[in-house]
Amino acid sequence: MFAILLSDQMDIFFHIIFSFPSVFFTFFLILSVAYWLLTLVGFAGVEAFDLGVDSADSITSLNVFSGLLFRLGLNGVPITIVITLISLVGWALCFLVVFYIYPFVPFRWLQLLLGIPVIIAVLYVSALVTAVLIKPLRPLFIATNQEVQKQVLGQVATVRTGEVNRNFGEAYIEDGGAGLIVKVRAYKDESFKRGDKVVLLEYVAGENVYRVVSEADFHN
């Protein structure tokens, strides 16, 4: 594939990467590159792809999404890394499919029709490849997460979802940098609204959430 970049077939290269179905992966690859460039200059953090929620329905959707990532072996590292690797692997695979197989498809309309199945198949293969690539990285992030958990207990956080109760909610912790977004649950039968100050009292490892109480209750 990269030999094309050194030949007189650059027009073919750009035509493929900016045409359907390759443009799907090109779009996400460009977003990923832009994100990492912003990270390098300090305008974004590793967790900047915010999957924030404001309702119970959103929580359910995120739980389904998290379950899918777990089944594919894409858990244990920041979602930004997962998206970047899937975009890169998918971009390369889709380019190869279009470059080597599409010339044998006689009609343009048939090529377009094959686009959706190609995207789905390439996404699946890319996810499997990414799962293998992130395995060596997972222990590094697990150790980092454990250290973060120890550091944030007892800190004050700001509720960022519409509500925090015993079943769902998220809060934001100011850490002097990009900040941390954590899943929180009310410690008692009470609820908090967006902007309320809460204190992280306990970490529940099995649920990956923090039990919180109001700042006033904590100091009293």
Side-chain angles (χ1 to χ4, degrees), residues 167-212:
N167 299 312
F168 72 93
E170 283 187 351
Y172 173 82
I173 304 173
E174 181 61 58
D175 64 350
L180 297 173
I181 296 173
V182 294
K183 296 179 181 179
V184 295
R185 303 290 184 266
Y187 192 79
K188 300 181 292 185
D189 290 323
E190 58 183 329
S191 63
F192 307 98
K193 63 181 184 299
R194 190 193 307 272
D196 285 350
K197 300 294 184 180
V198 295
V199 176
L200 279 62
L201 198 63
E202 175 189 2
Y203 178 69
V204 183
E207 302 176 31
N208 190 31
V209 300
Y210 291 87
R211 299 290 184 188
V212 298

Short mmCIF file of all heavy atoms in Angstrom, two decimals, residues 167-212:
data_model
loop_
_atom_site.label_atom_id
_atom_site.label_comp_id
_atom_site.label_asym_id
_atom_site.label_seq_id
_atom_site.Cartn_x
_atom_site.Cartn_y
_atom_site.Cartn_z
N ASN A 167 -28.39 4.91 41.68
CA ASN A 167 -28.32 4.05 40.49
C ASN A 167 -27.47 4.60 39.35
O ASN A 167 -26.95 3.82 38.55
CB ASN A 167 -29.74 3.80 39.96
CG ASN A 167 -30.62 3.10 40.97
OD1 ASN A 167 -30.20 2.11 41.56
ND2 ASN A 167 -31.82 3.62 41.20
N PHE A 168 -27.33 5.91 39.25
CA PHE A 168 -26.51 6.45 38.16
C PHE A 168 -26.04 7.86 38.48
O PHE A 168 -26.54 8.53 39.39
CB PHE A 168 -27.27 6.42 36.83
CG PHE A 168 -28.38 7.44 36.73
CD1 PHE A 168 -28.16 8.67 36.16
CD2 PHE A 168 -29.67 7.14 37.19
CE1 PHE A 168 -29.19 9.60 36.05
CE2 PHE A 168 -30.69 8.05 37.08
CZ PHE A 168 -30.46 9.29 36.51
N GLY A 169 -25.05 8.29 37.68
CA GLY A 169 -24.53 9.64 37.82
C GLY A 169 -23.04 9.71 37.52
O GLY A 169 -22.33 8.69 37.55
N GLU A 170 -22.58 10.91 37.21
CA GLU A 170 -21.16 11.16 36.98
C GLU A 170 -20.78 12.48 37.63
O GLU A 170 -21.61 13.37 37.81
CB GLU A 170 -20.83 11.23 35.48
CG GLU A 170 -20.77 9.88 34.80
CD GLU A 170 -20.27 9.98 33.36
OE1 GLU A 170 -20.15 11.12 32.85
OE2 GLU A 170 -20.01 8.94 32.74
N ALA A 171 -19.48 12.60 37.96
CA ALA A 171 -18.98 13.83 38.56
C ALA A 171 -17.61 14.16 37.98
O ALA A 171 -16.92 13.28 37.44
CB ALA A 171 -18.90 13.70 40.07
N TYR A 172 -17.24 15.42 38.11
CA TYR A 172 -15.98 15.92 37.56
C TYR A 172 -15.05 16.33 38.69
O TYR A 172 -15.47 17.02 39.62
CB TYR A 172 -16.27 17.12 36.65
CG TYR A 172 -15.03 17.83 36.14
CD1 TYR A 172 -14.34 17.35 35.04
CD2 TYR A 172 -14.58 18.98 36.77
CE1 TYR A 172 -13.21 18.01 34.58
CE2 TYR A 172 -13.45 19.65 36.31
CZ TYR A 172 -12.78 19.16 35.21
OH TYR A 172 -11.65 19.81 34.76
N ILE A 173 -13.80 15.88 38.61
CA ILE A 173 -12.80 16.22 39.63
C ILE A 173 -11.75 17.11 38.99
O ILE A 173 -11.14 16.74 37.97
CB ILE A 173 -12.13 14.96 40.21
CG1 ILE A 173 -13.17 14.00 40.78
CG2 ILE A 173 -11.10 15.33 41.27
CD1 ILE A 173 -12.59 12.67 41.20
N GLU A 174 -11.51 18.25 39.58
CA GLU A 174 -10.47 19.16 39.09
C GLU A 174 -9.13 18.66 39.61
O GLU A 174 -8.91 18.57 40.83
CB GLU A 174 -10.74 20.59 39.60
CG GLU A 174 -9.72 21.59 39.13
CD GLU A 174 -9.68 21.70 37.62
OE1 GLU A 174 -10.72 22.02 37.02
OE2 GLU A 174 -8.59 21.47 37.05
N ASP A 175 -8.21 18.31 38.70
CA ASP A 175 -6.91 17.78 39.11
C ASP A 175 -5.75 18.66 38.69
O ASP A 175 -4.59 18.24 38.72
CB ASP A 175 -6.71 16.36 38.56
CG ASP A 175 -6.65 16.33 37.04
OD1 ASP A 175 -6.96 17.37 36.41
OD2 ASP A 175 -6.30 15.28 36.48
N GLY A 176 -6.05 19.87 38.25
CA GLY A 176 -4.99 20.77 37.82
C GLY A 176 -4.62 20.60 36.36
O GLY A 176 -3.80 21.36 35.83
N GLY A 177 -5.22 19.60 35.70
CA GLY A 177 -4.94 19.36 34.29
C GLY A 177 -6.23 19.30 33.51
O GLY A 177 -7.05 20.22 33.58
N ALA A 178 -6.39 18.21 32.75
CA ALA A 178 -7.61 18.05 31.95
C ALA A 178 -8.82 17.70 32.80
O ALA A 178 -9.95 17.80 32.35
CB ALA A 178 -7.39 16.98 30.89
N GLY A 179 -8.58 17.29 34.06
CA GLY A 179 -9.68 16.91 34.94
C GLY A 179 -10.03 15.44 34.78
O GLY A 179 -9.65 14.79 33.81
N LEU A 180 -10.76 14.91 35.75
CA LEU A 180 -11.17 13.51 35.73
C LEU A 180 -12.69 13.42 35.79
O LEU A 180 -13.34 14.15 36.53
CB LEU A 180 -10.58 12.75 36.92
CG LEU A 180 -9.05 12.65 37.01
CD1 LEU A 180 -8.65 12.01 38.34
CD2 LEU A 180 -8.52 11.82 35.85
N ILE A 181 -13.25 12.52 34.99
CA ILE A 181 -14.68 12.24 35.03
C ILE A 181 -14.86 10.84 35.59
O ILE A 181 -14.28 9.88 35.07
CB ILE A 181 -15.31 12.33 33.63
CG1 ILE A 181 -15.19 13.76 33.10
CG2 ILE A 181 -16.77 11.91 33.66
CD1 ILE A 181 -15.62 13.93 31.67
N VAL A 182 -15.62 10.72 36.67
CA VAL A 182 -15.79 9.44 37.34
C VAL A 182 -17.28 9.13 37.50
O VAL A 182 -18.11 10.03 37.59
CB VAL A 182 -15.10 9.42 38.73
CG1 VAL A 182 -13.59 9.53 38.57
CG2 VAL A 182 -15.63 10.54 39.61
N LYS A 183 -17.59 7.85 37.53
CA LYS A 183 -18.95 7.41 37.80
C LYS A 183 -19.18 7.45 39.31
O LYS A 183 -18.35 6.96 40.08
CB LYS A 183 -19.17 5.98 37.28
CG LYS A 183 -19.05 5.84 35.78
CD LYS A 183 -19.26 4.40 35.37
CE LYS A 183 -19.13 4.23 33.87
NZ LYS A 183 -19.31 2.81 33.44
N VAL A 184 -20.29 8.03 39.72
CA VAL A 184 -20.58 8.16 41.14
C VAL A 184 -21.99 7.69 41.45
O VAL A 184 -22.87 7.70 40.58
CB VAL A 184 -20.40 9.62 41.62
CG1 VAL A 184 -18.94 10.06 41.50
CG2 VAL A 184 -21.31 10.57 40.84
N ARG A 185 -22.19 7.27 42.68
CA ARG A 185 -23.50 6.86 43.18
C ARG A 185 -23.69 7.45 44.57
O ARG A 185 -22.75 7.53 45.36
CB ARG A 185 -23.59 5.32 43.26
CG ARG A 185 -23.32 4.60 41.94
CD ARG A 185 -24.43 4.83 40.94
NE ARG A 185 -24.22 4.06 39.72
CZ ARG A 185 -23.61 4.53 38.64
NH1 ARG A 185 -23.13 5.76 38.64
NH2 ARG A 185 -23.47 3.78 37.56
N ALA A 186 -24.91 7.87 44.87
CA ALA A 186 -25.21 8.43 46.19
C ALA A 186 -25.02 7.37 47.26
O ALA A 186 -25.45 6.21 47.09
CB ALA A 186 -26.64 8.97 46.23
N TYR A 187 -24.36 7.73 48.34
CA TYR A 187 -24.10 6.78 49.42
C TYR A 187 -25.37 6.46 50.20
O TYR A 187 -25.57 5.35 50.67
CB TYR A 187 -23.04 7.35 50.37
CG TYR A 187 -22.47 6.35 51.35
CD1 TYR A 187 -21.50 5.44 50.95
CD2 TYR A 187 -22.92 6.32 52.67
CE1 TYR A 187 -20.97 4.53 51.84
CE2 TYR A 187 -22.41 5.40 53.57
CZ TYR A 187 -21.43 4.51 53.15
OH TYR A 187 -20.92 3.59 54.04
N LYS A 188 -26.25 7.46 50.32
CA LYS A 188 -27.50 7.28 51.04
C LYS A 188 -28.67 7.49 50.08
O LYS A 188 -28.47 7.72 48.89
CB LYS A 188 -27.58 8.27 52.21
CG LYS A 188 -26.46 8.11 53.23
CD LYS A 188 -26.58 9.10 54.37
CE LYS A 188 -26.34 10.52 53.93
NZ LYS A 188 -26.35 11.47 55.06
N ASP A 189 -29.89 7.39 50.60
CA ASP A 189 -31.07 7.61 49.76
C ASP A 189 -31.30 9.09 49.54
O ASP A 189 -32.22 9.70 50.11
CB ASP A 189 -32.31 6.96 50.41
CG ASP A 189 -32.26 5.45 50.39
OD1 ASP A 189 -31.76 4.90 49.39
OD2 ASP A 189 -32.70 4.83 51.37
N GLU A 190 -30.46 9.68 48.75
CA GLU A 190 -30.58 11.09 48.42
C GLU A 190 -30.16 11.27 46.97
O GLU A 190 -29.65 10.34 46.34
CB GLU A 190 -29.70 11.94 49.34
CG GLU A 190 -28.23 11.56 49.30
CD GLU A 190 -27.40 12.36 50.28
OE1 GLU A 190 -27.76 13.52 50.54
OE2 GLU A 190 -26.39 11.84 50.78
N SER A 191 -30.40 12.45 46.45
CA SER A 191 -30.01 12.72 45.07
C SER A 191 -29.34 14.09 45.00
O SER A 191 -29.57 14.96 45.84
CB SER A 191 -31.21 12.67 44.14
OG SER A 191 -32.15 13.68 44.47
N PHE A 192 -28.50 14.24 43.99
CA PHE A 192 -27.80 15.49 43.76
C PHE A 192 -28.07 15.95 42.34
O PHE A 192 -28.28 15.12 41.45
CB PHE A 192 -26.29 15.33 43.98
CG PHE A 192 -25.92 14.73 45.31
CD1 PHE A 192 -25.63 13.38 45.42
CD2 PHE A 192 -25.88 15.52 46.44
CE1 PHE A 192 -25.29 12.82 46.64
CE2 PHE A 192 -25.54 14.98 47.67
CZ PHE A 192 -25.25 13.62 47.78
N LYS A 193 -28.05 17.25 42.14
CA LYS A 193 -28.29 17.79 40.80
C LYS A 193 -26.99 18.34 40.22
O LYS A 193 -25.98 18.49 40.92
CB LYS A 193 -29.37 18.88 40.86
CG LYS A 193 -29.01 20.10 41.68
CD LYS A 193 -30.15 21.11 41.69
CE LYS A 193 -29.78 22.39 42.43
NZ LYS A 193 -29.44 22.16 43.84
N ARG A 194 -27.04 18.65 38.94
CA ARG A 194 -25.87 19.17 38.25
C ARG A 194 -25.30 20.40 38.98
O ARG A 194 -26.04 21.32 39.33
CB ARG A 194 -26.24 19.55 36.81
CG ARG A 194 -25.02 19.88 35.93
CD ARG A 194 -25.47 20.56 34.64
NE ARG A 194 -26.48 19.79 33.94
CZ ARG A 194 -26.22 18.82 33.06
NH1 ARG A 194 -24.97 18.53 32.77
NH2 ARG A 194 -27.21 18.18 32.47
N GLY A 195 -24.00 20.40 39.19
CA GLY A 195 -23.34 21.52 39.84
C GLY A 195 -23.14 21.35 41.34
O GLY A 195 -22.36 22.09 41.95
N ASP A 196 -23.83 20.37 41.96
CA ASP A 196 -23.66 20.13 43.40
C ASP A 196 -22.26 19.61 43.69
O ASP A 196 -21.66 18.91 42.88
CB ASP A 196 -24.69 19.11 43.90
CG ASP A 196 -26.08 19.71 44.02
OD1 ASP A 196 -26.20 20.95 43.90
OD2 ASP A 196 -27.04 18.94 44.22
N LYS A 197 -21.77 19.94 44.89
CA LYS A 197 -20.47 19.47 45.33
C LYS A 197 -20.64 18.21 46.18
O LYS A 197 -21.44 18.18 47.12
CB LYS A 197 -19.74 20.54 46.16
CG LYS A 197 -19.49 21.84 45.41
CD LYS A 197 -18.51 21.64 44.26
CE LYS A 197 -18.18 22.97 43.58
NZ LYS A 197 -17.23 22.81 42.46
N VAL A 198 -19.90 17.17 45.81
CA VAL A 198 -19.96 15.91 46.56
C VAL A 198 -18.54 15.47 46.89
O VAL A 198 -17.57 15.91 46.26
CB VAL A 198 -20.68 14.80 45.76
CG1 VAL A 198 -22.14 15.15 45.55
CG2 VAL A 198 -19.98 14.56 44.43
N VAL A 199 -18.43 14.57 47.87
CA VAL A 199 -17.12 14.05 48.27
C VAL A 199 -17.08 12.56 47.99
O VAL A 199 -18.01 11.82 48.34
CB VAL A 199 -16.86 14.31 49.78
CG1 VAL A 199 -15.53 13.68 50.20
CG2 VAL A 199 -16.84 15.80 50.05
N LEU A 200 -16.00 12.10 47.34
CA LEU A 200 -15.84 10.69 47.03
C LEU A 200 -15.44 9.94 48.30
O LEU A 200 -14.34 10.12 48.82
CB LEU A 200 -14.77 10.49 45.95
CG LEU A 200 -15.22 10.72 44.50
CD1 LEU A 200 -15.68 12.14 44.26
CD2 LEU A 200 -14.10 10.38 43.54
N LEU A 201 -16.35 9.10 48.77
CA LEU A 201 -16.18 8.47 50.08
C LEU A 201 -15.64 7.05 49.98
O LEU A 201 -14.86 6.60 50.82
CB LEU A 201 -17.52 8.47 50.82
CG LEU A 201 -17.48 8.25 52.32
CD1 LEU A 201 -16.72 9.37 53.00
CD2 LEU A 201 -18.90 8.18 52.86
N GLU A 202 -16.07 6.32 48.94
CA GLU A 202 -15.71 4.90 48.86
C GLU A 202 -15.67 4.48 47.39
O GLU A 202 -16.49 4.92 46.59
CB GLU A 202 -16.75 4.06 49.62
CG GLU A 202 -16.58 2.56 49.50
CD GLU A 202 -17.75 1.79 50.08
OE1 GLU A 202 -18.72 2.43 50.54
OE2 GLU A 202 -17.70 0.55 50.06
N TYR A 203 -14.72 3.60 47.05
CA TYR A 203 -14.64 3.08 45.68
C TYR A 203 -15.15 1.65 45.66
O TYR A 203 -14.71 0.81 46.46
CB TYR A 203 -13.21 3.11 45.16
CG TYR A 203 -13.07 2.52 43.77
CD1 TYR A 203 -13.61 3.18 42.66
CD2 TYR A 203 -12.43 1.30 43.57
CE1 TYR A 203 -13.51 2.64 41.40
CE2 TYR A 203 -12.32 0.76 42.30
CZ TYR A 203 -12.86 1.43 41.22
OH TYR A 203 -12.75 0.89 39.96
N VAL A 204 -16.08 1.37 44.75
CA VAL A 204 -16.65 0.02 44.61
C VAL A 204 -16.05 -0.59 43.34
O VAL A 204 -16.47 -0.27 42.22
CB VAL A 204 -18.19 0.07 44.50
CG1 VAL A 204 -18.74 -1.35 44.43
CG2 VAL A 204 -18.78 0.83 45.68
N ALA A 205 -15.05 -1.45 43.52
CA ALA A 205 -14.29 -1.98 42.39
C ALA A 205 -15.15 -2.77 41.42
O ALA A 205 -14.99 -2.67 40.20
CB ALA A 205 -13.14 -2.85 42.91
N GLY A 206 -16.08 -3.58 41.95
CA GLY A 206 -16.90 -4.42 41.09
C GLY A 206 -17.76 -3.64 40.12
O GLY A 206 -18.07 -4.11 39.02
N GLU A 207 -18.16 -2.43 40.52
CA GLU A 207 -19.02 -1.59 39.68
C GLU A 207 -18.26 -0.44 39.04
O GLU A 207 -18.81 0.29 38.21
CB GLU A 207 -20.17 -1.03 40.52
CG GLU A 207 -21.04 -2.09 41.18
CD GLU A 207 -22.11 -1.48 42.07
OE1 GLU A 207 -22.57 -0.36 41.77
OE2 GLU A 207 -22.46 -2.10 43.09
N ASN A 208 -17.00 -0.26 39.45
CA ASN A 208 -16.17 0.85 38.96
C ASN A 208 -16.85 2.19 39.21
O ASN A 208 -16.91 3.05 38.33
CB ASN A 208 -15.85 0.67 37.47
CG ASN A 208 -14.80 1.66 36.99
OD1 ASN A 208 -13.91 2.07 37.75
ND2 ASN A 208 -14.89 2.06 35.73
N VAL A 209 -17.39 2.37 40.41
CA VAL A 209 -18.07 3.61 40.78
C VAL A 209 -17.57 4.07 42.15
O VAL A 209 -16.99 3.29 42.92
CB VAL A 209 -19.60 3.45 40.82
CG1 VAL A 209 -20.14 3.02 39.46
CG2 VAL A 209 -20.02 2.45 41.90
N TYR A 210 -17.83 5.34 42.44
CA TYR A 210 -17.51 5.91 43.74
C TYR A 210 -18.80 6.26 44.48
O TYR A 210 -19.70 6.86 43.89
CB TYR A 210 -16.66 7.18 43.59
CG TYR A 210 -15.27 6.94 43.08
CD1 TYR A 210 -15.03 6.88 41.71
CD2 TYR A 210 -14.20 6.75 43.94
CE1 TYR A 210 -13.75 6.65 41.22
CE2 TYR A 210 -12.91 6.52 43.47
CZ TYR A 210 -12.69 6.48 42.11
OH TYR A 210 -11.43 6.25 41.63
N ARG A 211 -18.87 5.88 45.74
CA ARG A 211 -19.99 6.29 46.59
C ARG A 211 -19.69 7.70 47.08
O ARG A 211 -18.55 7.99 47.51
CB ARG A 211 -20.15 5.35 47.77
CG ARG A 211 -20.44 3.91 47.39
CD ARG A 211 -21.82 3.74 46.82
NE ARG A 211 -22.12 2.33 46.54
CZ ARG A 211 -23.19 1.94 45.91
NH1 ARG A 211 -24.10 2.83 45.48
NH2 ARG A 211 -23.41 0.64 45.67
N VAL A 212 -20.69 8.57 47.02
CA VAL A 212 -20.45 9.97 47.40
C VAL A 212 -21.49 10.45 48.40
O VAL A 212 -22.60 9.93 48.47
CB VAL A 212 -20.47 10.88 46.14
CG1 VAL A 212 -19.36 10.50 45.18
CG2 VAL A 212 -21.84 10.85 45.46
#
